[in-house]
Amino acid sequence: MKKYVFFALCFIVWGCKNKSNDNFRLSPESKSKLQISSLQIDTIFLDSVPTSFVLHSGIQNNLVYALYYYFCKLYYFTPEGHYKEKKLGIGHARNETAIGRIAAHTFLNDGSLVLYDYQGGYNIFNKDILLEDFFRIPYENKKKDGSTNREKLYNNPLDYSPVYNDNICRSYGNNVFFKVQMAYPLCNYVCSTKEQLENGANIVETNLQQQELGRLLAQGYPQSYYKNSLEKAIFSTVNFDITLNGDFYVTYEADSLIYKYDKDYNELECFGFSGKNMDTNYVRITSTKESRKHWRNERLTKGYYNWLEYVDETGLLFRSYQKGETRSTDGLQIYKDGVLIGDVSVPKGLKVMGYIAPYYYSYVIPNEEKEIMYLYRFKL
């Protein structure tokens, strides 16, 4: 997706350093002091509840929760997996929602819950899960294809749309942040590779108080994407987390480095190591048609960095990575103050969700065929 003439230029720059993009101005300082070689992992099965098995989970008030995106039900479980209570459901009362299907969600620091729908609607519930506010920000897709004024498009939040597959929604203060992609076919990573690598944003901010879109973040790509760009097309988005003080940690799916920014998105650090035994023999994608054809199989069978979680309680950063279909395990990297202290094999699907002392918990894993839900936990 990068024009071939441009490939030659990227070889004179190394690591994170990118003179044309302040998001990647720092050279990597990757340090390792390996202290963790393996984990003793427990499996916790959750009590059975009515479910569609399409869910997202998290930790709130020292409880594990599972939010079901189709049925709009919010279940709470004890750390041992026992059912505690249910909130929400489909309906028009204040303790219900008529959202239809949830696209993404996040909790704010004060316990408020934000549900995002597929029409750009924000449903805000207070800490008691009672509806407090609703507003909508429609995306500006007026049947444009992006063939004109491309320079302006990359800097206008309304010209992006959420990444609904594997979306991430995080919060800081009264703002929420989503993964996004350019809304117009001619401006996607495949069709406009040079522009995407230089200017394409991956995260958008929404100000809940002002009820409007804010900053575009994670604009441009690190230098690793400038080589064999088309092979990385299906792995061209980001994973990110935000600390309690507003620092951002960002990792790109096909890039071994992790980038740390302050709340104003000034780059603070650049560090990281490649995961072990990853299958990165990606298919070269040269058209949108090829992307649709190979997208699902590539993401199921190849190796890439698929989650990032910062645990404020302990100051540890966890980066999960998929090794590939032919590998028997996935990988988990553990960083402390930018130093790699562990890179261990873990069961497939394990992504760190958070911490309830003395355990770290994985996100809930549904198995529709066996009609079970479970998670992993471990101590360090």
Side-chain angles (χ1 to χ4, degrees), residues 94-136:
R94 280 191 69 200
N95 62 346
E96 298 174 321
T97 179
I99 193 173
R101 181 184 174 191
I102 300 168
H105 85 284
T106 188
F107 279 91
L108 306 183
N109 287 342
D110 65 1
S112 300
L113 171 64
V114 180
L115 301 182
Y116 180 73
D117 66 32
Y118 281 86
Q119 289 76 46
Y122 295 78
N123 302 258
I124 305 173
F125 295 80
N126 64 22
K127 62 182 178 61
D128 298 315
I129 316 300
L130 298 174
L131 185 64
E132 287 285 337
D133 199 3
F134 170 81
F135 65 92
R136 190 180 304 281

mmCIF file of all heavy atoms in Angstrom, residues 94-136:
data_model
loop_
_atom_site.group_PDB
_atom_site.id
_atom_site.type_symbol
_atom_site.label_atom_id
_atom_site.label_comp_id
_atom_site.label_asym_id
_atom_site.label_seq_id
_atom_site.Cartn_x
_atom_site.Cartn_y
_atom_site.Cartn_z
ATOM 1 N N ARG A 94 -35.493 3.761 33.203
ATOM 2 C CA ARG A 94 -34.161 4.353 33.414
ATOM 3 C C ARG A 94 -33.095 3.296 33.686
ATOM 4 O O ARG A 94 -31.913 3.531 33.425
ATOM 5 C CB ARG A 94 -34.199 5.333 34.580
ATOM 6 C CG ARG A 94 -34.759 6.700 34.242
ATOM 7 C CD ARG A 94 -34.504 7.658 35.389
ATOM 8 N NE ARG A 94 -33.081 7.960 35.533
ATOM 9 C CZ ARG A 94 -32.532 8.448 36.647
ATOM 10 N NH1 ARG A 94 -33.291 8.645 37.720
ATOM 11 N NH2 ARG A 94 -31.250 8.706 36.697
ATOM 12 N N ASN A 95 -33.500 2.161 34.223
ATOM 13 C CA ASN A 95 -32.534 1.100 34.514
ATOM 14 C C ASN A 95 -32.443 0.082 33.381
ATOM 15 O O ASN A 95 -31.926 -1.011 33.550
ATOM 16 C CB ASN A 95 -32.885 0.394 35.821
ATOM 17 C CG ASN A 95 -34.234 -0.298 35.772
ATOM 18 O OD1 ASN A 95 -35.038 -0.048 34.871
ATOM 19 N ND2 ASN A 95 -34.498 -1.170 36.739
ATOM 20 N N GLU A 96 -32.957 0.469 32.200
ATOM 21 C CA GLU A 96 -32.889 -0.371 31.005
ATOM 22 C C GLU A 96 -32.339 0.467 29.850
ATOM 23 O O GLU A 96 -32.040 1.654 30.006
ATOM 24 C CB GLU A 96 -34.279 -0.904 30.657
ATOM 25 C CG GLU A 96 -34.891 -1.795 31.728
ATOM 26 C CD GLU A 96 -36.316 -2.183 31.403
ATOM 27 O OE1 GLU A 96 -37.061 -1.318 30.876
ATOM 28 O OE2 GLU A 96 -36.686 -3.344 31.673
ATOM 29 N N THR A 97 -32.224 -0.162 28.691
ATOM 30 C CA THR A 97 -31.759 0.564 27.513
ATOM 31 C C THR A 97 -32.492 0.085 26.274
ATOM 32 O O THR A 97 -32.805 -1.105 26.148
ATOM 33 C CB THR A 97 -30.239 0.408 27.306
ATOM 34 O OG1 THR A 97 -29.845 1.113 26.118
ATOM 35 C CG2 THR A 97 -29.850 -1.059 27.145
ATOM 36 N N ALA A 98 -32.772 1.035 25.390
ATOM 37 C CA ALA A 98 -33.394 0.718 24.105
ATOM 38 C C ALA A 98 -32.373 0.835 22.979
ATOM 39 O O ALA A 98 -32.721 1.057 21.824
ATOM 40 C CB ALA A 98 -34.583 1.645 23.849
ATOM 41 N N ILE A 99 -31.114 0.660 23.328
ATOM 42 C CA ILE A 99 -30.023 0.866 22.382
ATOM 43 C C ILE A 99 -30.070 -0.126 21.218
ATOM 44 O O ILE A 99 -29.561 0.143 20.138
ATOM 45 C CB ILE A 99 -28.670 0.774 23.132
ATOM 46 C CG1 ILE A 99 -27.519 1.291 22.270
ATOM 47 C CG2 ILE A 99 -28.392 -0.651 23.567
ATOM 48 C CD1 ILE A 99 -26.204 1.377 23.036
ATOM 49 N N GLY A 100 -30.673 -1.282 21.436
ATOM 50 C CA GLY A 100 -30.721 -2.301 20.380
ATOM 51 C C GLY A 100 -29.552 -3.243 20.486
ATOM 52 O O GLY A 100 -29.647 -4.337 21.042
ATOM 53 N N ARG A 101 -28.423 -2.815 19.981
ATOM 54 C CA ARG A 101 -27.197 -3.601 20.094
ATOM 55 C C ARG A 101 -26.056 -2.669 20.464
ATOM 56 O O ARG A 101 -25.897 -1.603 19.872
ATOM 57 C CB ARG A 101 -26.881 -4.319 18.774
ATOM 58 C CG ARG A 101 -25.620 -5.176 18.840
ATOM 59 C CD ARG A 101 -25.292 -5.783 17.486
ATOM 60 N NE ARG A 101 -24.007 -6.475 17.522
ATOM 61 C CZ ARG A 101 -23.359 -6.921 16.451
ATOM 62 N NH1 ARG A 101 -23.901 -6.776 15.253
ATOM 63 N NH2 ARG A 101 -22.191 -7.520 16.563
ATOM 64 N N ILE A 102 -25.279 -3.066 21.438
ATOM 65 C CA ILE A 102 -24.176 -2.242 21.922
ATOM 66 C C ILE A 102 -22.969 -2.405 21.000
ATOM 67 O O ILE A 102 -22.582 -3.524 20.665
ATOM 68 C CB ILE A 102 -23.800 -2.640 23.361
ATOM 69 C CG1 ILE A 102 -25.002 -2.441 24.292
ATOM 70 C CG2 ILE A 102 -22.612 -1.826 23.851
ATOM 71 C CD1 ILE A 102 -24.820 -3.072 25.657
ATOM 72 N N ALA A 103 -22.382 -1.283 20.604
ATOM 73 C CA ALA A 103 -21.178 -1.326 19.771
ATOM 74 C C ALA A 103 -19.910 -1.303 20.611
ATOM 75 O O ALA A 103 -18.927 -1.958 20.285
ATOM 76 C CB ALA A 103 -21.170 -0.154 18.793
ATOM 77 N N ALA A 104 -19.924 -0.537 21.708
ATOM 78 C CA ALA A 104 -18.764 -0.427 22.597
ATOM 79 C C ALA A 104 -19.228 0.163 23.916
ATOM 80 O O ALA A 104 -20.339 0.699 24.019
ATOM 81 C CB ALA A 104 -17.677 0.443 21.970
ATOM 82 N N HIS A 105 -18.369 0.065 24.931
ATOM 83 C CA HIS A 105 -18.732 0.613 26.230
ATOM 84 C C HIS A 105 -17.476 0.921 27.022
ATOM 85 O O HIS A 105 -16.392 0.434 26.721
ATOM 86 C CB HIS A 105 -19.585 -0.387 27.022
ATOM 87 C CG HIS A 105 -18.757 -1.384 27.771
ATOM 88 N ND1 HIS A 105 -18.134 -2.456 27.157
ATOM 89 C CD2 HIS A 105 -18.396 -1.461 29.085
ATOM 90 C CE1 HIS A 105 -17.453 -3.149 28.045
ATOM 91 N NE2 HIS A 105 -17.583 -2.570 29.234
ATOM 92 N N THR A 106 -17.641 1.730 28.054
ATOM 93 C CA THR A 106 -16.573 1.946 29.022
ATOM 94 C C THR A 106 -17.173 2.498 30.303
ATOM 95 O O THR A 106 -18.248 3.115 30.288
ATOM 96 C CB THR A 106 -15.503 2.917 28.487
ATOM 97 O OG1 THR A 106 -14.389 2.944 29.384
ATOM 98 C CG2 THR A 106 -16.041 4.330 28.339
ATOM 99 N N PHE A 107 -16.503 2.262 31.411
ATOM 100 C CA PHE A 107 -16.852 2.890 32.680
ATOM 101 C C PHE A 107 -15.950 4.102 32.881
ATOM 102 O O PHE A 107 -14.758 4.065 32.560
ATOM 103 C CB PHE A 107 -16.660 1.913 33.843
ATOM 104 C CG PHE A 107 -17.793 0.950 34.028
ATOM 105 C CD1 PHE A 107 -17.782 -0.285 33.407
ATOM 106 C CD2 PHE A 107 -18.878 1.286 34.833
ATOM 107 C CE1 PHE A 107 -18.830 -1.185 33.585
ATOM 108 C CE2 PHE A 107 -19.926 0.403 35.015
ATOM 109 C CZ PHE A 107 -19.909 -0.837 34.392
ATOM 110 N N LEU A 108 -16.509 5.171 33.435
ATOM 111 C CA LEU A 108 -15.727 6.340 33.812
ATOM 112 C C LEU A 108 -15.199 6.147 35.231
ATOM 113 O O LEU A 108 -15.631 5.251 35.960
ATOM 114 C CB LEU A 108 -16.579 7.606 33.726
ATOM 115 C CG LEU A 108 -17.280 7.879 32.384
ATOM 116 C CD1 LEU A 108 -18.025 9.214 32.448
ATOM 117 C CD2 LEU A 108 -16.304 7.848 31.225
ATOM 118 N N ASN A 109 -14.284 7.002 35.630
ATOM 119 C CA ASN A 109 -13.678 6.873 36.956
ATOM 120 C C ASN A 109 -14.686 7.017 38.093
ATOM 121 O O ASN A 109 -14.488 6.479 39.185
ATOM 122 C CB ASN A 109 -12.554 7.903 37.139
ATOM 123 C CG ASN A 109 -11.315 7.541 36.334
ATOM 124 O OD1 ASN A 109 -11.165 6.399 35.916
ATOM 125 N ND2 ASN A 109 -10.446 8.511 36.125
ATOM 126 N N ASP A 110 -15.779 7.745 37.863
ATOM 127 C CA ASP A 110 -16.779 7.924 38.911
ATOM 128 C C ASP A 110 -17.798 6.793 38.939
ATOM 129 O O ASP A 110 -18.773 6.843 39.690
ATOM 130 C CB ASP A 110 -17.489 9.273 38.764
ATOM 131 C CG ASP A 110 -18.310 9.370 37.474
ATOM 132 O OD1 ASP A 110 -18.341 8.387 36.695
ATOM 133 O OD2 ASP A 110 -18.919 10.429 37.246
ATOM 134 N N GLY A 111 -17.599 5.754 38.121
ATOM 135 C CA GLY A 111 -18.506 4.618 38.091
ATOM 136 C C GLY A 111 -19.593 4.707 37.046
ATOM 137 O O GLY A 111 -20.373 3.763 36.873
ATOM 138 N N SER A 112 -19.697 5.845 36.343
ATOM 139 C CA SER A 112 -20.690 5.985 35.281
ATOM 140 C C SER A 112 -20.369 5.026 34.130
ATOM 141 O O SER A 112 -19.207 4.721 33.858
ATOM 142 C CB SER A 112 -20.721 7.419 34.756
ATOM 143 O OG SER A 112 -21.056 8.326 35.778
ATOM 144 N N LEU A 113 -21.413 4.559 33.460
ATOM 145 C CA LEU A 113 -21.275 3.642 32.339
ATOM 146 C C LEU A 113 -21.686 4.351 31.056
ATOM 147 O O LEU A 113 -22.755 4.962 30.990
ATOM 148 C CB LEU A 113 -22.152 2.409 32.567
ATOM 149 C CG LEU A 113 -22.300 1.432 31.387
ATOM 150 C CD1 LEU A 113 -20.964 0.789 31.034
ATOM 151 C CD2 LEU A 113 -23.356 0.367 31.698
ATOM 152 N N VAL A 114 -20.839 4.247 30.025
ATOM 153 C CA VAL A 114 -21.147 4.813 28.718
ATOM 154 C C VAL A 114 -21.347 3.671 27.738
ATOM 155 O O VAL A 114 -20.467 2.825 27.564
ATOM 156 C CB VAL A 114 -20.024 5.743 28.225
ATOM 157 C CG1 VAL A 114 -20.375 6.315 26.844
ATOM 158 C CG2 VAL A 114 -19.772 6.864 29.223
ATOM 159 N N LEU A 115 -22.518 3.630 27.113
ATOM 160 C CA LEU A 115 -22.799 2.666 26.052
ATOM 161 C C LEU A 115 -22.833 3.417 24.723
ATOM 162 O O LEU A 115 -23.488 4.466 24.608
ATOM 163 C CB LEU A 115 -24.150 1.973 26.271
ATOM 164 C CG LEU A 115 -24.341 1.192 27.572
ATOM 165 C CD1 LEU A 115 -25.710 0.528 27.586
ATOM 166 C CD2 LEU A 115 -23.246 0.160 27.758
ATOM 167 N N TYR A 116 -22.165 2.866 23.736
ATOM 168 C CA TYR A 116 -22.113 3.483 22.408
ATOM 169 C C TYR A 116 -22.858 2.579 21.439
ATOM 170 O O TYR A 116 -22.649 1.360 21.428
ATOM 171 C CB TYR A 116 -20.658 3.658 21.987
ATOM 172 C CG TYR A 116 -20.466 4.296 20.637
ATOM 173 C CD1 TYR A 116 -20.709 5.654 20.447
ATOM 174 C CD2 TYR A 116 -20.035 3.550 19.544
ATOM 175 C CE1 TYR A 116 -20.530 6.248 19.210
ATOM 176 C CE2 TYR A 116 -19.846 4.137 18.299
ATOM 177 C CZ TYR A 116 -20.100 5.482 18.139
ATOM 178 O OH TYR A 116 -19.919 6.060 16.908
ATOM 179 N N ASP A 117 -23.740 3.165 20.608
ATOM 180 C CA ASP A 117 -24.515 2.349 19.682
ATOM 181 C C ASP A 117 -24.003 2.499 18.250
ATOM 182 O O ASP A 117 -23.036 3.228 18.001
ATOM 183 C CB ASP A 117 -26.012 2.655 19.791
ATOM 184 C CG ASP A 117 -26.379 4.071 19.336
ATOM 185 O OD1 ASP A 117 -25.724 4.613 18.429
ATOM 186 O OD2 ASP A 117 -27.348 4.637 19.894
ATOM 187 N N TYR A 118 -24.658 1.816 17.321
ATOM 188 C CA TYR A 118 -24.184 1.770 15.938
ATOM 189 C C TYR A 118 -24.657 2.970 15.110
ATOM 190 O O TYR A 118 -24.352 3.046 13.928
ATOM 191 C CB TYR A 118 -24.646 0.474 15.274
ATOM 192 C CG TYR A 118 -23.795 -0.720 15.659
ATOM 193 C CD1 TYR A 118 -24.067 -1.447 16.810
ATOM 194 C CD2 TYR A 118 -22.704 -1.101 14.886
ATOM 195 C CE1 TYR A 118 -23.288 -2.533 17.177
ATOM 196 C CE2 TYR A 118 -21.913 -2.179 15.240
ATOM 197 C CZ TYR A 118 -22.209 -2.897 16.391
ATOM 198 O OH TYR A 118 -21.413 -3.966 16.752
ATOM 199 N N GLN A 119 -25.377 3.891 15.724
ATOM 200 C CA GLN A 119 -25.802 5.106 15.019
ATOM 201 C C GLN A 119 -25.138 6.356 15.592
ATOM 202 O O GLN A 119 -25.618 7.465 15.402
ATOM 203 C CB GLN A 119 -27.332 5.250 15.107
ATOM 204 C CG GLN A 119 -28.123 4.252 14.276
ATOM 205 C CD GLN A 119 -28.150 2.874 14.919
ATOM 206 O OE1 GLN A 119 -28.396 2.759 16.127
ATOM 207 N NE2 GLN A 119 -27.920 1.839 14.129
ATOM 208 N N GLY A 120 -24.027 6.162 16.315
ATOM 209 C CA GLY A 120 -23.310 7.302 16.875
ATOM 210 C C GLY A 120 -23.919 7.841 18.144
ATOM 211 O O GLY A 120 -23.640 8.985 18.534
ATOM 212 N N GLY A 121 -24.731 7.040 18.836
ATOM 213 C CA GLY A 121 -25.383 7.491 20.054
ATOM 214 C C GLY A 121 -24.603 7.129 21.308
ATOM 215 O O GLY A 121 -24.035 6.030 21.403
ATOM 216 N N TYR A 122 -24.574 8.033 22.266
ATOM 217 C CA TYR A 122 -23.906 7.839 23.548
ATOM 218 C C TYR A 122 -24.968 7.794 24.638
ATOM 219 O O TYR A 122 -25.692 8.761 24.866
ATOM 220 C CB TYR A 122 -22.926 8.969 23.828
ATOM 221 C CG TYR A 122 -21.772 9.034 22.857
ATOM 222 C CD1 TYR A 122 -21.934 9.587 21.586
ATOM 223 C CD2 TYR A 122 -20.510 8.551 23.205
ATOM 224 C CE1 TYR A 122 -20.881 9.643 20.689
ATOM 225 C CE2 TYR A 122 -19.452 8.612 22.317
ATOM 226 C CZ TYR A 122 -19.642 9.155 21.059
ATOM 227 O OH TYR A 122 -18.594 9.218 20.169
ATOM 228 N N ASN A 123 -25.069 6.653 25.317
ATOM 229 C CA ASN A 123 -26.020 6.471 26.404
ATOM 230 C C ASN A 123 -25.222 6.472 27.705
ATOM 231 O O ASN A 123 -24.379 5.596 27.918
ATOM 232 C CB ASN A 123 -26.767 5.154 26.247
ATOM 233 C CG ASN A 123 -27.519 5.057 24.927
ATOM 234 O OD1 ASN A 123 -28.724 5.226 24.879
ATOM 235 N ND2 ASN A 123 -26.795 4.786 23.834
ATOM 236 N N ILE A 124 -25.481 7.433 28.586
ATOM 237 C CA ILE A 124 -24.680 7.602 29.802
ATOM 238 C C ILE A 124 -25.519 7.253 31.022
ATOM 239 O O ILE A 124 -26.570 7.854 31.261
ATOM 240 C CB ILE A 124 -24.147 9.041 29.896
ATOM 241 C CG1 ILE A 124 -23.361 9.395 28.624
ATOM 242 C CG2 ILE A 124 -23.259 9.195 31.130
ATOM 243 C CD1 ILE A 124 -22.928 10.845 28.553
ATOM 244 N N PHE A 125 -25.058 6.266 31.784
ATOM 245 C CA PHE A 125 -25.732 5.816 33.001
ATOM 246 C C PHE A 125 -24.877 6.216 34.204
ATOM 247 O O PHE A 125 -23.642 6.201 34.134
ATOM 248 C CB PHE A 125 -25.900 4.294 32.986
ATOM 249 C CG PHE A 125 -26.803 3.795 31.892
ATOM 250 C CD1 PHE A 125 -26.343 3.662 30.591
ATOM 251 C CD2 PHE A 125 -28.123 3.455 32.171
ATOM 252 C CE1 PHE A 125 -27.175 3.205 29.572
ATOM 253 C CE2 PHE A 125 -28.963 2.991 31.162
ATOM 254 C CZ PHE A 125 -28.488 2.869 29.861
ATOM 255 N N ASN A 126 -25.526 6.546 35.304
ATOM 256 C CA ASN A 126 -24.777 6.892 36.505
ATOM 257 C C ASN A 126 -24.242 5.637 37.188
ATOM 258 O O ASN A 126 -24.429 4.520 36.700
ATOM 259 C CB ASN A 126 -25.626 7.744 37.451
ATOM 260 C CG ASN A 126 -26.841 6.984 37.985
ATOM 261 O OD1 ASN A 126 -26.890 5.757 38.007
ATOM 262 N ND2 ASN A 126 -27.844 7.745 38.430
ATOM 263 N N LYS A 127 -23.595 5.810 38.330
ATOM 264 C CA LYS A 127 -22.950 4.672 38.993
ATOM 265 C C LYS A 127 -23.947 3.626 39.471
ATOM 266 O O LYS A 127 -23.576 2.486 39.737
ATOM 267 C CB LYS A 127 -22.088 5.154 40.159
ATOM 268 C CG LYS A 127 -22.827 5.856 41.275
ATOM 269 C CD LYS A 127 -21.861 6.337 42.342
ATOM 270 C CE LYS A 127 -22.579 7.089 43.458
ATOM 271 N NZ LYS A 127 -23.562 6.241 44.161
ATOM 272 N N ASP A 128 -25.223 4.009 39.581
ATOM 273 C CA ASP A 128 -26.269 3.052 39.939
ATOM 274 C C ASP A 128 -26.897 2.417 38.704
ATOM 275 O O ASP A 128 -27.904 1.717 38.801
ATOM 276 C CB ASP A 128 -27.351 3.751 40.778
ATOM 277 C CG ASP A 128 -26.795 4.283 42.090
ATOM 278 O OD1 ASP A 128 -26.044 3.544 42.758
ATOM 279 O OD2 ASP A 128 -27.094 5.445 42.434
ATOM 280 N N ILE A 129 -26.323 2.686 37.544
ATOM 281 C CA ILE A 129 -26.774 2.174 36.242
ATOM 282 C C ILE A 129 -28.206 2.633 35.960
ATOM 283 O O ILE A 129 -29.093 1.855 35.565
ATOM 284 C CB ILE A 129 -26.626 0.635 36.147
ATOM 285 C CG1 ILE A 129 -25.276 0.188 36.701
ATOM 286 C CG2 ILE A 129 -26.748 0.179 34.686
ATOM 287 C CD1 ILE A 129 -24.085 0.761 35.992
ATOM 288 N N LEU A 130 -28.425 3.916 36.152
ATOM 289 C CA LEU A 130 -29.672 4.579 35.776
ATOM 290 C C LEU A 130 -29.343 5.612 34.704
ATOM 291 O O LEU A 130 -28.367 6.371 34.833
ATOM 292 C CB LEU A 130 -30.307 5.266 36.983
ATOM 293 C CG LEU A 130 -30.719 4.355 38.147
ATOM 294 C CD1 LEU A 130 -31.204 5.187 39.330
ATOM 295 C CD2 LEU A 130 -31.784 3.358 37.713
ATOM 296 N N LEU A 131 -30.156 5.668 33.655
ATOM 297 C CA LEU A 131 -29.869 6.552 32.526
ATOM 298 C C LEU A 131 -29.883 8.011 32.960
ATOM 299 O O LEU A 131 -30.847 8.484 33.566
ATOM 300 C CB LEU A 131 -30.889 6.332 31.415
ATOM 301 C CG LEU A 131 -30.634 7.106 30.119
ATOM 302 C CD1 LEU A 131 -29.332 6.651 29.461
ATOM 303 C CD2 LEU A 131 -31.807 6.937 29.151
ATOM 304 N N GLU A 132 -28.798 8.721 32.636
ATOM 305 C CA GLU A 132 -28.665 10.133 32.987
ATOM 306 C C GLU A 132 -28.716 11.047 31.765
ATOM 307 O O GLU A 132 -29.219 12.157 31.843
ATOM 308 C CB GLU A 132 -27.341 10.361 33.723
ATOM 309 C CG GLU A 132 -27.310 9.828 35.142
ATOM 310 C CD GLU A 132 -28.099 10.699 36.105
ATOM 311 O OE1 GLU A 132 -28.287 11.887 35.813
ATOM 312 O OE2 GLU A 132 -28.528 10.182 37.150
ATOM 313 N N ASP A 133 -28.170 10.571 30.645
ATOM 314 C CA ASP A 133 -28.066 11.471 29.485
ATOM 315 C C ASP A 133 -27.931 10.642 28.213
ATOM 316 O O ASP A 133 -27.528 9.468 28.248
ATOM 317 C CB ASP A 133 -26.849 12.386 29.643
ATOM 318 C CG ASP A 133 -26.936 13.625 28.750
ATOM 319 O OD1 ASP A 133 -27.963 13.798 28.068
ATOM 320 O OD2 ASP A 133 -25.969 14.397 28.731
ATOM 321 N N PHE A 134 -28.300 11.283 27.116
ATOM 322 C CA PHE A 134 -28.135 10.662 25.796
ATOM 323 C C PHE A 134 -27.865 11.756 24.777
ATOM 324 O O PHE A 134 -28.480 12.827 24.829
ATOM 325 C CB PHE A 134 -29.396 9.896 25.394
ATOM 326 C CG PHE A 134 -29.372 9.451 23.951
ATOM 327 C CD1 PHE A 134 -28.686 8.303 23.577
ATOM 328 C CD2 PHE A 134 -30.004 10.204 22.975
ATOM 329 C CE1 PHE A 134 -28.636 7.908 22.245
ATOM 330 C CE2 PHE A 134 -29.962 9.813 21.637
ATOM 331 C CZ PHE A 134 -29.283 8.661 21.275
ATOM 332 N N PHE A 135 -26.941 11.505 23.878
ATOM 333 C CA PHE A 135 -26.738 12.395 22.737
ATOM 334 C C PHE A 135 -26.168 11.578 21.576
ATOM 335 O O PHE A 135 -25.691 10.465 21.761
ATOM 336 C CB PHE A 135 -25.815 13.571 23.089
ATOM 337 C CG PHE A 135 -24.396 13.187 23.417
ATOM 338 C CD1 PHE A 135 -23.410 13.151 22.432
ATOM 339 C CD2 PHE A 135 -24.028 12.881 24.725
ATOM 340 C CE1 PHE A 135 -22.102 12.815 22.735
ATOM 341 C CE2 PHE A 135 -22.726 12.539 25.046
ATOM 342 C CZ PHE A 135 -21.755 12.507 24.045
ATOM 343 N N ARG A 136 -26.227 12.171 20.400
ATOM 344 C CA ARG A 136 -25.777 11.468 19.203
ATOM 345 C C ARG A 136 -24.838 12.360 18.403
ATOM 346 O O ARG A 136 -25.087 13.566 18.265
ATOM 347 C CB ARG A 136 -26.975 11.054 18.347
ATOM 348 C CG ARG A 136 -26.634 10.108 17.195
ATOM 349 C CD ARG A 136 -27.884 9.754 16.383
ATOM 350 N NE ARG A 136 -28.934 9.172 17.207
ATOM 351 C CZ ARG A 136 -28.956 7.916 17.617
ATOM 352 N NH1 ARG A 136 -27.948 7.098 17.282
ATOM 353 N NH2 ARG A 136 -29.946 7.465 18.348
#
